[in-house]
Amino acid sequence: MTFTRSSGILLHPTSLPSQFGIGDLGPQAYRWVDFLARSGTRLWQLLPLGPTGYADSPYQAFSAMAGNPYLISPKLLVEDGLLDQSALDHRPAFSEDQVEYGQVIPWKMDLLEQAYDNFQKSKLLKTEFAEYQRHSDEWLPDFSLFMALKQAHNLEPWHAWPAPLRDREAVALDEVKAKYQQEINQQACYQFLFHRQWQALRKYANGKGIQIIGDIPIYVAHDSADVWANRELFQLNNDGRASVVAGVPPDYFSSTGQLWGNPIYRWEQHAENGFSWWRQRIRKVLGRVDIIRLDHFRGFAGYWEVPGGNPTAKHGQWLPGPGAAIFEALLEEFGELPLIAEDLGHITPDVTKLREQFNLPGMKIMQFGFEADRDHPFIPDNYEEHSAAYTGTHDNATIVGWYQQASDHQKWFSKDYLQLPEDVEMPVFAKAVIKRLWDSAAVFSLAPLQDFLALGNQARMNYPGTTDGNWRWRAHPEAFTDDLLNQLHALNLATNRISLNT
């Protein structure tokens, strides 16, 4: 697919300002889109939008198809007549700069339950809801049942449920569908409300000239509706536990590797059915976004497999992935591949060959280049045009945080490369990094909002290999200033990432 030279900002919706403890799809999201449009920034990049589970990670969602109900805007529910304003007036004193999930989740779910009760009592949106259910019948019934059963079993993982439910025995499923019909319908309604709000926001963004970059993790969470409903597609033991799990060997982030714990696909089974589950997954995400960042692209060429039960990812083996076959199937399905290949980590020639075979742009991380020399492929002078270049991602330090932890040589090299003085102030350093990235040949230049705000690692989104305290950062309501907007607009013009008449 051919892309147009442009720029973007990485900001997950949870990080938007909000009165309700977590960013959502309401008025602040529309203000954010307006900010992007006025600044000439044409790309908004997100993390996965699925319903978060373990450790609140968007990369460990209860479904690869569903949306996150925590993102549903209470204000828009009031506008739809599904909540009374009084329900919003009495709320906890939420933090403005962190998502305190333990406080937010029960309050938000209580609001959604009230909205569902009101939905049931009225005729509002009933026809639209029925249409949504018809169009979502490939995945919504299984997901809604899965979530209802998780609630009934105190959120235990599905492989700990009674064997008839764990193994999806027909009689047992019929019984619980009848028993939990109300709860199943409630979960489907939450998905409808998310879908309705998200599609309106996406339409608004596209109308402003903004394309949305979504994110697909290569693997799905073990405790997910996807694995429970499609056990034949994953390498599992008879009791539902994963026989082998995903991760990466020791690398830049961890001396013991990263043990993700996700079950690994039975790729031969996917190939036999024409990768139909993957076609469905990509189709669902492309119904929400315009471009997809395909996380851990190297796993399609070859993946690191760790025996289930191992405490770290040190002891595993590389095995061949599905290779070109899966992308040929996707190309057949969609006609073009609006994908960015996240080709970071242990990259071997077969990974590069696979990416180039399907003409997918790879990723460049500028702060990694500062840890080497001017010949490093992540130094902007060396970027090829068909690439997406970042100061850093959600898995990296902020650019200021990187500098503050860098070695003396790395600090010297970065300042020498950027032609900055020895005593450079951090806002100046961050601005220079972004300017050099925007100047590069890469078709896409992107940075997390934290780097535009010159924030340190207190604003970092994730520390790979850890589970506590991640995914919490939120932008302050006063972050989106006219000064920042004007700086962005001038930068985009100067680097030919928008036209002069924009």
Side-chain angles (χ1 to χ4, degrees):
M1 186 171 180
T2 301
F3 296 113
T4 301
R5 182 174 172 87
S6 49
S7 66
I9 298 178
L10 170 59
L11 180 69
H12 198 51
T14 57
S15 295
L16 287 165
S18 168
Q19 301 170 292
F20 309 117
I22 187 170
D24 59 42
L25 308 181
Q28 289 286 0
Y30 286 81
R31 293 189 187 104
W32 167 242
V33 168
D34 289 340
F35 179 90
L36 290 174
R38 291 173 60 201
S39 70
T41 305
R42 296 298 179 225
L43 302 170
W44 176 15
Q45 182 162 338
L46 319 164
L47 306 181
L49 289 170
T52 49
Y54 178 67
D56 307 303
S57 171
Y59 294 89
Q60 294 288 345
F62 289 133
S63 170
M65 313 292 178
N68 190 348
Y70 306 149
L71 296 177
I72 295 171
S73 165
K75 285 195 172 182
L76 296 185
L77 293 178
V78 171
E79 291 182 12
D80 284 337
L82 297 177
L83 280 179
D84 293 328
Q85 178 60 41
S86 60
L88 312 187
D89 292 338
H90 304 287
R91 58 183 182 273
F94 293 119
S95 168
E96 282 193 336
D97 59 3
Q98 295 280 318
V99 182
E100 302 293 347
Y101 287 98
Q103 186 181 35
V104 166
I105 290 173
W107 184 80
K108 196 69 172 280
M109 294 311 296
D110 180 65
L111 280 187
L112 292 178
E113 288 177 12
Q114 293 179 50
Y116 176 70
D117 288 343
N118 292 330
F119 177 83
Q120 288 288 87
K121 295 171 186 175
S122 74
K123 295 181 180 180
L124 293 172
L125 307 176
K126 287 297 190 346
T127 301
E128 195 176 338
F129 179 42
E131 183 179 357
Y132 170 76
Q133 290 177 296
R134 284 194 298 273
H135 287 297
S136 306
D137 61 358
E138 285 183 313
W139 65 272
L140 184 60
D142 280 325
F143 170 75
S144 301
L145 176 58
F146 174 83
M147 292 303 296
L149 289 174
K150 278 194 72 67
Q151 288 185 345
H153 291 89
N154 298 314
L155 300 182
E156 286 185 333
W158 64 266
H159 60 76
W161 297 348
L165 295 178
R166 180 195 69 193
D167 299 337
R168 293 177 58 87
E169 294 180 7
V171 173
L173 290 187
D174 287 343
E175 289 176 355
V176 292
K177 285 177 185 177
K179 181 177 181 180
Y180 297 115
Q181 183 177 8
Q182 174 81 354
E183 290 81 1
I184 293 167
N185 197 56
Q186 188 172 356
Q187 292 294 330
C189 182
Y190 294 164
Q191 288 305 304
F192 165 65
L193 295 175
F194 170 87
H195 168 83
R196 191 168 183 273
Q197 291 191 5
W198 177 258
Q199 292 302 330
L201 179 61
R202 182 194 179 188
K203 181 179 180 180
Y204 184 81
N206 289 168
K208 293 281 186 176
I210 308 297
Q211 287 190 302
I212 297 175
I213 302 177
D215 194 318
I216 287 188
I218 183 174
Y219 297 114
V220 298
H222 184 200
D223 188 23
S224 67
D226 311 285
V227 180
W228 177 64
N230 301 279
R231 285 179 60 169
E232 72 282 0
L233 299 180
F234 300 88
Q235 297 189 50
L236 305 176
N237 296 323
N238 290 336
D239 64 0
R241 297 178 186 273
S243 57
V244 291
V245 296
V248 291
D251 62 5
Y252 170 88
F253 293 113
S254 172
S255 61
T256 59
Q258 297 178 47
L259 186 67
W260 298 333
N262 307 77
I264 291 176
Y265 299 105
R266 298 185 188 275
W267 283 119
E268 70 285 353
Q269 184 67 36
H270 286 265
E272 284 180 16
N273 64 24
F275 299 97
S276 61
W277 182 86
W278 273 95
R279 293 176 192 240
Q280 177 189 343
R281 185 183 187 189
I282 298 290
R283 187 185 315 116
K284 183 62 182 176
V285 177
L286 283 178
R288 291 183 179 141
V289 304
D290 305 292
I291 301 166
I292 294 172
R293 171 190 178 270
L294 197 53
D295 191 50
H296 197 59
F297 177 80
R298 74 105 48 247
F300 293 101
Y303 59 90
W304 186 249
E305 178 185 280
V306 181
N310 274 23
T312 74
K314 288 180 67 173
H315 304 294
Q317 61 177 334
W318 286 108
L319 292 172
I326 186 171
F327 295 101
E328 289 169 351
L330 295 176
L331 195 59
E332 176 187 67
E333 178 79 16
F334 301 105
E336 59 184 8
L337 299 177
L339 305 176
I340 297 170
E342 187 270 287
D343 55 345
L344 307 174
H346 181 71
I347 301 306
T348 48
D350 58 330
V351 181
T352 302
K353 180 181 178 181
L354 182 63
R355 180 180 61 77
E356 291 178 346
Q357 179 178 346
F358 293 93
N359 196 33
L360 304 179
M363 286 178 57
K364 310 293 183 184
I365 306 297
M366 186 171 173
Q367 63 178 256
F368 288 172
F370 286 155
E371 297 173 4
D373 53 42
R374 290 178 183 266
D375 293 330
H376 194 278
F378 286 175
I379 286 294
D381 293 347
N382 305 320
Y383 295 168
E384 61 267 21
E385 181 179 353
H386 199 51
S387 62
Y390 297 75
T391 55
T393 73
H394 62 280
D395 278 338
N396 303 125
T398 66
I399 199 62
V400 168
W402 173 87
Y403 182 89
Q404 291 171 337
Q405 297 176 346
S407 68
D408 289 343
H409 174 75
Q410 291 165 349
K411 290 178 180 178
W412 170 83
F413 173 59
S414 62
K415 288 182 290 191
D416 181 67
Y417 177 74
L418 297 169
Q419 299 182 357
L420 294 172
E422 176 64 28
D423 59 348
V424 63
E425 295 181 352
M426 287 299 91
V428 175
F429 179 80
K431 188 179 294 186
V433 169
I434 292 169
K435 174 63 164 62
R436 188 62 193 86
L437 190 79
W438 258 235
D439 271 329
S440 74
V443 66
F444 291 163
S445 62
L446 302 107
L449 180 64
Q450 294 95 312
D451 288 348
F452 289 97
L453 301 177
L455 298 177
N457 276 343
Q458 77 279 6
R460 182 169 175 165
M461 200 65 168
N462 181 47
Y463 286 84
T466 68
T467 57
D468 294 329
N470 295 321
W471 319 111
R472 295 191 174 196
W473 178 77
R474 293 177 61 212
H476 193 274
E478 298 178 2
F480 310 122
T481 63
D482 288 342
D483 183 56
L484 177 59
L485 187 151
N486 293 333
Q487 288 180 35
L488 269 169
H489 193 272
L491 175 63
N492 287 324
L493 275 177
T495 56
N496 195 32
R497 296 192 180 273
I498 54 172
S499 61
L500 286 173
N501 60 358
T502 301

